[in-house]
Amino acid sequence: MAKSIQAIRGMNDLLPDQSPAWQQVESTIRRVAASYGYSEIRMPVLENTALFKRSIGEVTDIVEKEMYTFDDRNGESLTLRPEGTASCVRAGNQHGLLYNQIQRLWYMGPMFRYERPQKGRYRQFHQFGIETFGLSGADADAEVILLSARLWKAFGIADQVELQLNSLGSNEARARYRDALRDYLAQYQEQLDEDSKRRLDSNPLRILDSKDETTQSLLADAPRLSDYWDDESREHFAQLRARLDEAGINYTLNERLVRGLDYYNRTVFEWVTTALGAQGTVCAGGRYDGLVEQLGGKATPAVGFAMGMERLVLLLQEQDKLNPRRAVDAYLMPLGEQAELKAPAIAEQLRDALPELRLVTHCGGGAMKKQIKKADKSGAEVALIVGENELAEQQVTVKPLRSDAEQTTLSHAELVEFLRPLTQA
């Protein structure tokens, strides 16, 4: 017998018993995004490698170690997208959506990074992203944060997440701070962990994220990012905080929050939780005013965030906040040759009357006992039995499968009204 082929490590199947939970999460996300006037954009999963090198930064962990990159048959370097913002900007530039325009966009789909798979982190993972273009004020920053906060309310986990907030200042201020931080840490180079030693010259701000205790102790006396802000960035951050305060959004100032991608400036934020152990960040974003121009477009301000779907689903499951709609509402059981002949037509009449009805028609014949077992296994709320007597009387017998209620026989019109509440559950 041929050896069975397995899924690639870190790229997981989503099985039928798991997909209803994902559908519930995705439906909530779509509803909340629409309530803020955001429109969906869908980008390809495969892009030119240069897109990510130019946007994310060649000395970031993503580009150096995590991207799935290969040459196609024409020798062109292609990469499975590791994040969505660069692709969204590329699409906006290519199709003339950004210059001198305001765009509120969202996307959802798979991303790819070669990391060590662990709970809540996979090599193929899924992200929901929000991107706002053409608005430079703190009001746009506040809007995307408020949108994310409304998602937590919609999911019932507002008490399980904490907003951490910081500003990187302008690109010039960030560069000055980077030099100051590098100069400070250079005197302690031998005491730094290996990743931080490697980042000291290439990306010293990432050292602020180090989990190494010795490195963190050295950072206690490091220069403060806020001391390098320009006046405009300081005012922008004050306006953002004032709007969040007015809206009742609690947050913690975290001067070591810098984000791992090179394109961020000014506002950066993360929503974190203690409910998932080490994998504490469930949503992160900020402002990236220079990226559109960096990728070949006209200068356009932008702000957004990305949310890991696997981690969000995991958090919702941990908090018992998922109650997806059942896969099947009713199971139609035809008993006898004439009933089997007429069953598809009866099912279609019910679907015409109730488009949201989730109805399975039994196939393959068999005795009533066998069909009842199949109906019960389907998870349906009720079995709809059609035999010779029901056909003669133009009725259907309804047998409850999840309660002790008595079975009853109904006309077509009565059956439609009986089933209607099931489609709204």
Side-chain angles (χ1 to χ4, degrees), residues 91-112:
N93 281 340
Q94 181 175 338
H95 299 286
L97 300 179
L98 305 184
Y99 179 59
N100 240 4
Q101 300 176 65
I102 294 173
Q103 295 286 356
R104 289 176 168 89
L105 305 175
W106 69 267
Y107 52 83
M108 187 158 37
M111 312 291 168
F112 303 84

Side-chain angles (χ1 to χ4, degrees), residues 10-14 18 22 25-26 29 108-112 118-128 276 279 281-282 307-318 322:
M11 299 188 180
N12 297 344
D13 300 308
L14 188 64
Q18 300 167 313
W22 278 72
V25 171
E26 291 165 358
I29 284 172
M108 187 158 37
M111 312 291 168
F112 303 84
Q118 53 187 290
K119 188 177 182 181
R121 175 180 288 176
Y122 306 105
R123 290 175 177 172
Q124 176 178 311
F125 59 100
H126 298 77
Q127 277 187 348
F128 163 63
L276 294 178
Q279 301 304 319
T281 301
V282 291
M307 181 184 301
M309 300 285 289
E310 281 82 0
R311 210 167 292 176
L312 174 59
V313 170
L314 188 61
L315 175 59
L316 293 171
Q317 289 173 333
E318 291 277 345
L322 289 178

Side-chain angles (χ1 to χ4, degrees), residues 128-192:
F128 163 63
I130 283 286
E131 315 289 358
T132 302
F133 298 97
L135 296 168
S136 60
D139 47 1
D141 302 26
E143 178 176 279
V144 300
I145 292 174
L146 289 170
L147 191 157
S148 60
R150 184 156 298 279
L151 280 169
W152 312 137
K153 291 180 184 178
F155 287 125
I157 55 170
D159 60 340
Q160 295 296 317
V161 292
E162 175 195 6
L163 176 61
Q164 295 190 354
L165 194 64
N166 195 20
S167 174
L168 301 177
S170 65
N171 289 331
E172 294 77 17
R174 176 176 171 169
R176 290 196 301 272
Y177 176 69
R178 183 174 61 239
D179 293 341
L181 182 63
R182 182 187 294 117
D183 291 344
Y184 169 80
L185 290 173
Q187 59 187 321
Y188 305 107
Q189 185 167 355
E190 294 307 313
Q191 300 176 52
L192 298 173

Side-chain angles (χ1 to χ4, degrees), residues 239-259:
Q239 289 187 19
L240 169 61
R241 293 182 61 187
R243 284 165 169 76
L244 296 179
D245 292 341
E246 191 68 26
I249 301 296
N250 296 321
Y251 55 86
T252 300
L253 297 180
N254 179 1
E255 286 212 38
R256 295 185 183 179
L257 176 60
V258 294
R259 306 294 301 124

Side-chain angles (χ1 to χ4, degrees), residues 52 69 97 118 147 157 161 201 224 230 256 273 290 292 325 328 360 369 398 404 421 425:
F52 303 113
T69 298
L97 300 179
Q118 53 187 290
L147 191 157
I157 55 170
V161 292
D201 289 323
R224 293 164 56 89
D230 55 289
R256 295 185 183 179
T273 181
V292 175
R325 184 181 165 188
V328 179
V360 169
K369 186 176 181 181
V398 179
D404 295 330

Side-chain angles (χ1 to χ4, degrees), residues 373-388:
K373 286 183 178 180
K374 291 286 183 70
D376 186 54
K377 189 176 180 180
S378 76
E381 186 73 16
V382 294
L384 308 179
I385 303 170
V386 179
E388 290 184 5

Side-chain angles (χ1 to χ4, degrees), residues 308-359:
M309 300 285 289
E310 281 82 0
R311 210 167 292 176
L312 174 59
V313 170
L314 188 61
L315 175 59
L316 293 171
Q317 289 173 333
E318 291 277 345
Q319 301 301 312
D320 197 25
K321 296 296 184 180
L322 289 178
N323 183 29
R325 184 181 165 188
R326 58 185 163 264
V328 179
D329 297 320
Y331 192 98
L332 180 59
M333 296 169 40
L335 301 176
E337 187 174 330
Q338 281 301 307
E340 289 176 7
L341 178 66
K342 294 184 178 294
I346 295 172
E348 292 309 300
Q349 290 170 6
L350 290 173
R351 293 188 182 103
D352 286 340
L354 299 168
E356 299 299 318
L357 179 67
R358 300 183 179 192
L359 173 67

